[in-house]
Amino acid sequence: MSTIPRDPARPSLHGARRGLGRYPVRYSAFGLCLLAVLVLAFIHDTASAWWWIATALAVVLSVVGFRDLAQTRHAILRNYPVLGHLRFFFEFIRPEIRQYFIESDNETLPFSRAQRSLVYQRAKGEPDNRPFGTQLDAGLQGYEWINHSMSPSKLASHDFRVWIGGRPGAPSSSVEPCTQPYEASVFNISAMSFGSLSANAILALNKGAAQGGFAHDTGEGSISRHHRVHGGDLIWEVASGYFGCRNDDGSFNEEKFTANAREPQVKMIEIKLSQGAKPGHGGILPGTKVTPEIAEARGVPVGVDCISPSSHSAFSTPVEMMHFIVRLRRLSGGKPVGFKFCLGHPWEWFALVKAMLQTGITPDFIVVDGAEGGTGAAPVEFTDHVGAPVQEGLLLVHNTLVGAGLRKRISLGCAGKVISAFDIARYMALGADWCNAGRGFMLALGCIQAQTCHTGNCPTGVTTQDPQRQQALVVPDKAERVTRFHHHTLEALKELVQAAGLEHPQQITAHHIVRRVTDTEVRLLSNLLLQVEAGALLGPLDELPTVFRLYWPLASADSFRAQEAVPGPAPQHAGATLPTAVLAPRSSL
Ligand SMILES: Cc1cc2nc3c(=O)[nH]c(=O)nc-3n(C[C@H](O)[C@H](O)[C@H](O)COP(=O)(O)O)c2cc1C
């Protein structure tokens, strides 16, 4: 083993310590406390208030030092009595110190200061213009911009809408089609349950949505009493725990589903297959957190662990899932029914598309969630390394539907760190019809990204069930902020659409967005990312990108499993399961 030669000029700490004999320097702080006690006892000036304060301090610290030496949990305190506590203190305040003094404006953890400031400014109705020019480096690889027009358009309203479930009166080709389509905003509140969010947060989000005319997704915790107070449009999320529509054994209950789904406030039903932060994991709300209000919303017993299994019990094959979709649509009285998922194995997604083709049943919408998505709490391996990011998921989903000739029947939403109007424009260019934001709206509620959602100690009352902490979140004020954030973001989107000379953000395509790929080269996204021809999957696959040629044949409408052994990492397709790699067109211009 090699050792680093020591600089002879540098004084040796060990040498210094040797000079002190075998006295362990690390005990100095504790030793000083004991010495202070002795000196103060010697002085014994009981008439002085300072003497009392100093003595109390020295005694308390000495007791702490003895306790540190005696305890067995923290080695650092046994070796550094008294002094070791500084480490815990600095660890405790590190996030704040980092956020206030160290982090740069564009460092993302997960949202940069620039992103957070934008939300705060828009939510508060403060000026959001930037002086002096961009802080981004236009010469860096990955820098993107939207091409503008020499003849910008002039639009009357920023209130961009998208029909989900088909335009009223328009023919629908799905079996038992939607009869109550929903005209949604292109920007809505993503799924976040009452339970992960506080009652006041839910109240403010829903009031904000009602004021601004956009939709609020309930999250898998179902519809709580707080969702119903202000009457904002709801997307009811039905996940594997079937909260709000379950039997005691956790299976799906038709009557309870029908009662909730037919409420006029519920505009759409979203079956949750997975979420980007922890796809394939499921979840558990510990019994201690199952309060009477949460239990009432979810239809579970108070104080008992509330489990979301990792898969659904109402269906186990793609075809069965299509029949479940049509069943929910019928029970809801014809409302749009869709599903949310984060892309995993491509053949499982293809199996769903094959089931749509085989049964003629199509969901009214699909929401693609990205691996960069948030959650109240997730295992670190899942949040960091499971699931496809939104760009790859969205591209594969959009292009598969185009290739299967189904795209016009299904609206596409997506979520994954959407904060600015450019984020929305970019995802719409990749194929989305609308975008959802979860954490963007949390920031609008006053979240400071303290990242303590899982502890119940949220400093701004957004993700806590502590009644006192949530009082800090004043509903009428924060509801205004939610409305304003939505309003100003769509105003900014309108300005982008106008600058590009278009009439609606849905007209933004990958041909409008340019990306720097090297110091000297830029490419349109349309030349970098996959674009499949309409109906291409219904014919020979030879000319299609690798992901389709490899995995489409393996998918079956009758099973989520691949039908043959999935090919290993063939040399010419190394990394082929990564959608961007396999989605790239055969040649780039
Ligand atoms: C606190 C919190 C709770 C969430 N709860 C749910 C949930 O119940 N169901 C779900 O489908 N997604 C849930 N999500 C994921 C979001 O709906 C969203 O898909 C994801 O965070 C990506 O959007 P964002 O980057 O705008 O936050 C939650 C996210 C957060 C931050």
Side-chain angles (χ1 to χ4, degrees), residues 124-190:
K124 290 178 186 167
E126 289 172 357
D128 58 0
N129 293 332
R130 292 278 179 278
F132 218 66
T134 181
Q135 294 183 356
L136 303 180
D137 186 344
L140 272 189
Q141 188 184 338
Y143 175 78
E144 287 183 349
W145 70 93
I146 182 165
N147 276 338
H148 63 279
S149 165
M150 288 188 180
S151 141
S153 56
K154 195 89 196 114
L155 302 180
S157 166
H158 64 278
D159 189 16
F160 301 113
R161 299 266 153 189
V162 48
W163 279 106
I164 305 175
R167 272 181 187 279
S172 171
S173 41
S174 181
V175 173
E176 293 193 48
C178 166
T179 52
Q180 298 193 51
Y182 177 55
E183 195 180 16
S185 168
V186 296
F187 188 40
N188 300 293
I189 304 172
S190 197

Side-chain angles (χ1 to χ4, degrees), residues 230-309:
H230 298 291
D233 289 355
L234 291 180
I235 299 169
W236 180 23
E237 185 173 79
V238 175
S240 56
Y242 303 112
F243 300 128
C245 55
R246 62 190 255 134
N247 297 309
D248 290 346
D249 63 359
S251 56
F252 176 71
N253 179 299
E254 272 200 6
E255 290 72 38
K256 291 181 186 167
F257 174 82
T258 308
N260 269 334
R262 295 209 176 207
E263 283 183 24
Q265 196 186 347
V266 173
K267 302 298 177 193
M268 309 207 292
I269 318 294
E270 176 181 271
I271 302 168
K272 175 183 173 184
L273 298 183
S274 55
Q275 75 179 87
K278 47 177 178 178
H281 189 263
I284 179 168
L285 189 65
T288 46
K289 292 192 173 175
V290 184
T291 62
E293 280 182 341
I294 290 177
E296 175 194 59
R298 298 188 179 208
V300 296
V302 180
V304 176
D305 287 355
C306 181
I307 293 165
S308 297

Side-chain angles (χ1 to χ4, degrees), residues 491-536:
E491 274 285 351
L493 182 62
K494 179 181 120 179
E495 289 176 351
L496 280 183
V497 173
Q498 289 180 155
L502 305 171
E503 307 296 321
H504 194 282
Q506 275 183 320
Q507 293 170 337
I508 303 173
T509 68
H511 294 275
H512 294 107
I513 301 201
V514 194
R515 184 178 177 88
R516 175 173 296 288
V517 288
T518 69
D519 280 0
T520 51
E521 278 177 294
V522 298
R523 292 265 195 277
L524 287 176
L525 284 190
S526 54
N527 294 331
L528 285 173
L529 302 173
L530 170 89
Q531 312 241 17
V532 162
E533 298 280 315

